[in-house]
Amino acid sequence: MDARRNWQDLPDAEGRFGSYGGRYVAETLMPLVLDLERAYRDAQADPAFAATMADFWTHYVGRPSPLYFAERMTEHFGAAKIYFKRDELNHTGAHKINNCLGQVLLALRMGKTRIIAETGAGQHGVATATICARLGLPCVVFMGATDIERQKPNVFRMKLLGAEVRPVTSGAATLKDAMNEALRDWVTNVADTFYCIGTAAGPHPYPEMVRDFQSVIGREARAQILEREGRLPDAVMACIGGGSNAIGLFHPFIADENVRLIGVEAAGRGIDARFEHSAAINGGRPGVLHGNRTYLLQNEDGQILEGHSISAGLDYPGVGPEHSYLSDIGRAQYLSATDDEALEAFKLCARLEGILPALEPSHALARLGDVAREVGKGGIVIMNLCGRGDKDVFTVAEALGVTL
Amino acid sequence: MSVRLASRFDALKREGRAGLVAYVMASDPDHETCFEILRGLPTAGADVIELGFPFTDPMADGPSIQKAALRALKAGGSLTRTLDLARRFRETDKDTPLILMGYANPIESMGYAPFAEAMHACGADGVIIVDLPPEEDTALRAAFDAHGLSIIRLATPTTDDNRLTKVLDGASGFLYYVSVAGVTGANAATADAVRAAVSRLKRATQLPVAVGFGVREPEAAREIARTADAVVVGSAFVDEIAAAPGPEAVERVLRKVRILSEAVRQAREPGRAMEGTPA
């Protein structure tokens, strides 16, 4: 396919990945996203910006994260060798901080004096609050009232870090409503505010920018596996909500056509007409929401559906536009795992590897055996363990019927 | 370009007054009550009707219109039902321009060409799509041009001169000036700021300029109507429905429309165009 030659040049000047992406925002915000794009290009061209990022990565975030040979998981499946990219060992316990660091440094460069963010499970909110504390910027995090109730520890963490957590009661009071409310704040506070989006979605240049900041995951993994095994992996895997950890892992491998790129969506209670899942690619169709054209959960009238996942971090009705494109052209493959499968994988990883994974990567773990067997003995699979499970112990206990 | 919009704004200019653009949400609080409101709007003084179509995620709207969308969806509202209301309205009124306003996804979902055909068939005149900036509306414009329908573009306090050129390229019907950076129904802009913005926009375009966002009271509407070609009011009407979401909503909304229409009509001396406004 000719399109494949252009993979690394995407998005195009209009922020398109094929027919996905774009800038579907209110006119008030258009000058702001155009300005953001100019500022990002300027930062990209400035070695000092990269140097500042690298310094924070090494000394504050704790990068590079290890590439760990999961020996007992490998034995358990008896097929391909399994490696975990350990992004759960980052400061704040997930990959989210890679992106927040980049965006908040960019905000400072642009002279912005106030940061806003949306959060679902609270991981992006905590990461944003963390970087804002470190860089001395006020931070307002929009969070659905329903999620605030479900994720009390993270709400308290954000407050300890000095952020203001603003409850959102509109709509269903979950992540997409928090994003709506953040957009409403941004359109109102156009002069001083920087909107730090948590996933590789939103209007251009966010999907590209978040991908670039998260690509440190894939760059490290690629170098680490070459050093360790002397060759590239056969497959790289990650869970997909909006898809920021996945695109960060995939992107540096995208031109390596023999490396399979595999995303795993949240199938919730099953991908069917009830829409009790968050699998936008497997169970949705293209539409426009939150600034970009992408696969969405929607009804026949184009109304957005809430979806469901046991993992609050995957519980979003859309997906980053680059994933929609990679799926359509067949470069990446998108599987899914149900709540129950993710829970089983969570338990398996805890017992075999002594690692409590977050419920998000537990979805990727749930398809790991299948992929390892497809790749077969002698092959190599890298899975991004993008978050740790401490935040999820209450949810898991409840799902397993255990009272703490 | 919609013929109905053009002739309505021509007529307003001849009368030497600004128009009132009245916004209501389709199917709010239910289809039939909404139809009764629509039917009464022209007599109550609405010069142009802006009919919102509901969307689950109205990210540029304040609480009033967010709640209206939820009421409408609960009542079974949709883009299809909105077009049906527009068709029924057009059977009762051949002259009052009616434009749809909402978000891109229901239209994406229907498809641009089928949407343009349905708009034409039901006698609607144009559309305002909040999250479809000029960069993204090329395909819809092509579908609309075939039927003489207008895409109404928005200018805002963040629109600089460069941006304004982009906004005006392909604009049709009228130019909607969003007078405050913010969501619908929030704070109002000062009269001075609006006056300055309108005269700047009028230097850049021949299109009529309508001003909206945050206009709730007759005083504010009167002030804007001194310089703008039209005043857009929405949340104030929608709030009347929220206060009494039954059959009595019809009279409540229409009474509010009469009050605002009167304010708009009295804004200028009869027969005299305003200073700085081309006569």
Side-chain angles (χ1 to χ4, degrees), chain B residues 30-117:
Chain B
D30 57 70
H31 308 301
E32 288 315 309
T33 309
C34 180
F35 177 64
E36 292 305 321
I37 294 170
L38 282 178
R39 211 163 61 151
L41 282 176
T43 316
D47 299 294
V48 175
I49 295 174
E50 213 180 291
L51 182 60
F53 53 96
F55 184 51
T56 39
D57 294 82
M59 53 228 140
D61 282 303
S64 294
I65 292 176
Q66 288 174 38
K67 286 177 190 147
L70 292 178
R71 284 194 300 273
L73 289 169
K74 208 171 165 195
S78 66
L79 181 54
T80 310
R81 299 295 296 256
T82 304
L83 289 162
D84 189 57
L85 281 167
R87 180 189 56 77
R88 290 174 63 195
F89 169 79
R90 186 55 74 218
E91 285 166 3
T92 70
D93 183 312
K94 303 289 174 215
D95 304 318
T96 306
L98 183 145
I99 56 180
L100 264 54
M101 179 169 188
Y103 293 82
N105 200 50
I107 295 172
E108 280 271 328
S109 180
M110 180 176 285
Y112 291 149
F115 175 65
E117 279 159 33

Side-chain angles (χ1 to χ4, degrees), chain B residues 9-10 18-19 59 74 103 105 110 116-117 122 131 139 175 179 182 184 216 225 254:
Chain B
F9 277 103
D10 283 348
M59 53 228 140
K74 208 171 165 195
Y103 293 82
N105 200 50
M110 180 176 285
E117 279 159 33
C122 73
D131 53 349
L175 183 65
S179 60
T184 51
R216 287 172 173 274
L254 296 180

Side-chain angles (χ1 to χ4, degrees), chain A residues 23-31 187, chain B residues 60 129-133 156:
Chain A
R23 304 181 190 94
Y24 294 86
V25 293
E27 185 55 40
T28 307
L29 292 179
M30 275 305 295
V187 87
Chain B
I129 309 174
V130 178
D131 53 349
L132 203 70
T156 80

Side-chain angles (χ1 to χ4, degrees), chain A residues 177-209:
Chain A
D177 307 294
M179 201 152 176
N180 292 335
E181 209 56 39
L183 285 163
R184 289 179 190 125
D185 182 293
W186 198 25
V187 87
T188 307
N189 299 292
V190 290
D192 63 348
T193 296
F194 186 100
Y195 181 15
C196 181
I197 296 185
T199 194
H204 179 63
Y206 281 99
E208 175 189 351
M209 193 167 69

Side-chain angles (χ1 to χ4, degrees), chain A residues 20-344:
Chain A
Y20 301 107
R23 304 181 190 94
Y24 294 86
V25 293
E27 185 55 40
T28 307
L29 292 179
M30 275 305 295
L32 280 71
V33 299
L34 294 170
D35 189 39
L36 175 61
E37 186 183 350
R38 278 188 294 272
Y40 180 53
R41 299 286 170 242
D42 184 61
Q44 279 178 307
D46 181 359
F49 185 75
T52 308
M53 290 269 295
D55 189 67
F56 271 97
W57 271 336
T58 308
H59 303 292
Y60 189 67
V61 176
R63 302 210 71 95
S65 67
L67 184 74
Y68 163 74
F69 174 47
E71 193 173 357
R72 294 197 66 209
M73 287 287 259
T74 300
E75 281 169 16
H76 178 78
F77 294 121
K81 280 177 92 167
I82 293 165
Y83 281 89
F84 289 162
K85 179 62 176 160
R86 300 284 309 272
D87 252 54
E88 100 281 14
L89 294 176
N90 293 338
H91 181 39
T92 71
H95 70 289
K96 291 291 184 190
I97 198 157
N98 302 331
N99 165 49
C100 293
L101 177 62
Q103 286 198 46
V104 178
L105 284 173
L106 184 60
L108 275 180
R109 228 181 127 86
M110 293 174 74
K112 301 291 179 182
T113 54
R114 175 176 177 266
I115 305 292
I116 57 169
E118 83 294 334
T119 199
Q123 290 302 104
H124 174 61
V126 167
T128 309
T130 298
I131 296 293
C132 286
R134 173 62 185 79
L135 296 175
L137 284 169
C139 174
V140 177
V141 180
F142 293 90
M143 188 169 184
T146 309
D147 288 335
I148 286 181
E149 201 48 44
R150 290 197 285 199
Q151 309 284 341
K152 283 180 187 158
N154 269 347
V155 175
F156 188 53
R157 287 168 79 192
M158 286 184 266
K159 288 180 180 169
L160 288 172
L161 291 159
E164 178 192 342
V165 180
R166 225 175 266 180
V168 176
T169 52
S170 58
T174 57
L175 177 56
K176 82 174 172 68
D177 307 294
M179 201 152 176
N180 292 335
E181 209 56 39
L183 285 163
R184 289 179 190 125
D185 182 293
W186 198 25
V187 87
T188 307
N189 299 292
V190 290
D192 63 348
T193 296
F194 186 100
Y195 181 15
C196 181
I197 296 185
T199 194
H204 179 63
Y206 281 99
E208 175 189 351
M209 193 167 69
V210 175
R211 173 196 75 196
D212 293 349
F213 292 143
Q214 291 293 2
S215 288
V216 67
I217 301 170
R219 280 198 307 274
E220 286 177 6
R222 198 171 184 283
Q224 285 165 323
I225 200 72
L226 284 173
E227 192 187 322
R228 191 86 179 257
E229 294 278 354
R231 72 171 183 93
L232 291 172
D234 299 280
V236 297
M237 289 182 77
C239 62
I240 307 267
S244 69
N245 97 85
I247 205 68
L249 177 65
F250 291 178
H251 203 257
F253 290 102
I254 222 157
D256 302 317
E257 297 203 30
N258 294 324
V259 179
R260 286 175 60 190
L261 312 177
I262 301 170
V264 183
E265 293 191 306
R269 302 190 185 102
I271 300 176
D272 54 37
R274 294 173 304 161
F275 283 100
E276 290 178 354
H277 63 80
S278 298
I281 293 177
N282 282 289
R285 62 191 172 89
V288 172
L289 180 69
H290 292 154
N292 60 157
R293 188 167 185 280
T294 192
Y295 278 88
L296 295 173
L297 302 185
Q298 54 182 316
N299 70 10
E300 67 291 339
D301 184 45
Q303 305 297 334
I304 308 303
L305 301 170
E306 282 296 325
H308 158 83
S309 170
I310 190 171
S311 144
L314 304 183
D315 197 351
Y316 179 70
V319 63
E322 192 163 7
H323 288 297
S324 294
Y325 174 69
L326 292 175
S327 175
D328 277 12
I329 64 166
R331 176 64 187 93
Q333 187 186 359
Y334 295 86
L335 310 174
S336 68
T338 65
D339 290 352
D340 291 344
E341 290 173 320
L343 273 172
E344 282 308 309

